[in-house]
Structure formats: structure tokens, C-alpha cells
Amino acid sequence: MGDHIVEYGKIFYYKDEILKSNSGSSCVVKVGEEDETGQIFFEGFYVCFNTLNKAFFGGVRRLIGFDWRFLKGVCKGLLLVAVCRDGNNQMLPIAWADVEVENQFTWTWFLKLVKNDLDLGEGRQLSIITDMQKNWIVT
């Protein structure tokens, strides 16, 4: 296994490569403020590929499921994901994000990015499924 510190140092390079090789896609890197040593800290990495975005408008059910899973291994964190079902009843990942922690701020950040990428507006004619028992208000 490689050096995770070196790999996280390349995260902006990964973002640039995704955007260069997948025209129209969305990729956002969220980093924290610099500390007293001048280091910036990773907070989140979001991806929504243009082809998946187009597929969302090309005949999928107007139903989005949001969920999360723990990331295990050297680099702990969470994977936030937005999925839907296509016309063949197959799961279609729309967007995902790797974040450090699950909290209101990371979910709000993720939901706003999904909302903007899918141009959901007020969310009319759209249903959302989640296992969370909290109120979500994303403007």
C-alpha cells in the first residue's frame, strides 16, 4: 500500500484529471484552513460524472436515494452517495463524496452540490429516500 500522505497531496491533480478526461463533469475538493505549520487538511472530495448526470435526465425514475458507508483501512472516512434506478431497474450512482465525518455540514455540502449538478431547483416531481431521521433543508 502506498503512502497515503503522498496520495492526498495529489488530490488536486486527481481533480484536474477527472475534469480534463470527463468533459462537463463536476469535481470539488474541500480543504480546511491552514494550520500554524502551513498545512491544509482534507475535508471532502466530490464527483459527479457528466455521463451519469445525463443519464439521470435520460429516463431514470425521479427518485434519489442518499446513503453513506464507512471507509475502512489506512484512511478512515465516509462515502456519501446519491443513487437512482434507471429504466432497466438497475442502480445508477449519480454522485458521491469522500468526507472525514458525517455531520450536518458535510451532508449539506454534498446535497447542495448534487442539487446544483442535477439542476433540481425546488425539487418538484422528485422523491428522496434516506435512512436518516433528521430534517433536511437544503437551499
Side-chain angles (χ1 to χ4, degrees), residues 57-72:
F57 293 104
V60 302
R61 297 177 181 158
R62 299 293 290 176
L63 174 77
I64 300 176
F66 290 97
D67 206 356
W68 63 274
R69 289 291 173 256
F70 286 111
L71 296 174
K72 299 178 181 180

Side-chain angles (χ1 to χ4, degrees), residues 2 6 12 20 31 34-35 53 70 72 78 106 119 127 129:
V6 172
F12 290 103
K20 184 170 76 173
V31 293
E34 286 186 12
D35 66 2
N53 188 332
F70 286 111
K72 299 178 181 180
L78 293 152
T106 56
D119 195 24
S127 297
I129 297 175

Side-chain angles (χ1 to χ4, degrees), residues 24-68:
S25 295
S26 177
C27 185
V28 177
V29 176
K30 184 178 180 188
V31 293
E33 299 289 323
E34 286 186 12
D35 66 2
E36 58 277 352
T37 65
Q39 289 185 327
I40 57 174
F41 291 92
F42 171 81
E43 290 184 358
F45 186 78
Y46 169 86
V47 178
C48 179
F49 288 116
N50 188 38
T51 53
L52 298 174
N53 188 332
K54 286 181 181 178
F56 179 75
F57 293 104
V60 302
R61 297 177 181 158
R62 299 293 290 176
L63 174 77
I64 300 176
F66 290 97
D67 206 356
W68 63 274

Side-chain angles (χ1 to χ4, degrees), residues 3-130:
D3 183 352
H4 66 282
I5 294 172
V6 172
E7 295 302 318
Y8 273 103
K10 298 178 185 177
I11 198 143
F12 290 103
Y13 169 76
Y14 297 146
K15 172 191 169 192
D16 293 342
E17 283 300 310
I18 287 172
L19 295 176
K20 184 170 76 173
S21 61
N22 299 280
S23 179
S25 295
S26 177
C27 185
V28 177
V29 176
K30 184 178 180 188
V31 293
E33 299 289 323
E34 286 186 12
D35 66 2
E36 58 277 352
T37 65
Q39 289 185 327
I40 57 174
F41 291 92
F42 171 81
E43 290 184 358
F45 186 78
Y46 169 86
V47 178
C48 179
F49 288 116
N50 188 38
T51 53
L52 298 174
N53 188 332
K54 286 181 181 178
F56 179 75
F57 293 104
V60 302
R61 297 177 181 158
R62 299 293 290 176
L63 174 77
I64 300 176
F66 290 97
D67 206 356
W68 63 274
R69 289 291 173 256
F70 286 111
L71 296 174
K72 299 178 181 180
V74 176
C75 301
K76 309 286 187 227
L78 293 152
L79 181 68
L80 308 180
V81 64
V83 297
C84 64
R85 289 201 179 259
D86 65 13
N88 293 322
N89 206 27
Q90 301 295 313
M91 297 299 287
L92 178 71
I94 302 168
W96 57 92
D98 174 9
V99 295
E100 280 192 308
V101 295
E102 181 195 23
N103 59 32
Q104 181 180 358
F105 299 109
T106 56
W107 271 111
T108 300
W109 174 74
F110 179 65
L111 292 170
K112 282 183 180 181
L113 290 170
V114 170
K115 179 182 175 185
N116 290 337
D117 281 339
L118 299 180
D119 195 24
L120 297 177
E122 296 295 317
R124 293 186 183 359
Q125 299 179 353
L126 176 71
S127 297
I128 293 177
I129 297 175
T130 180

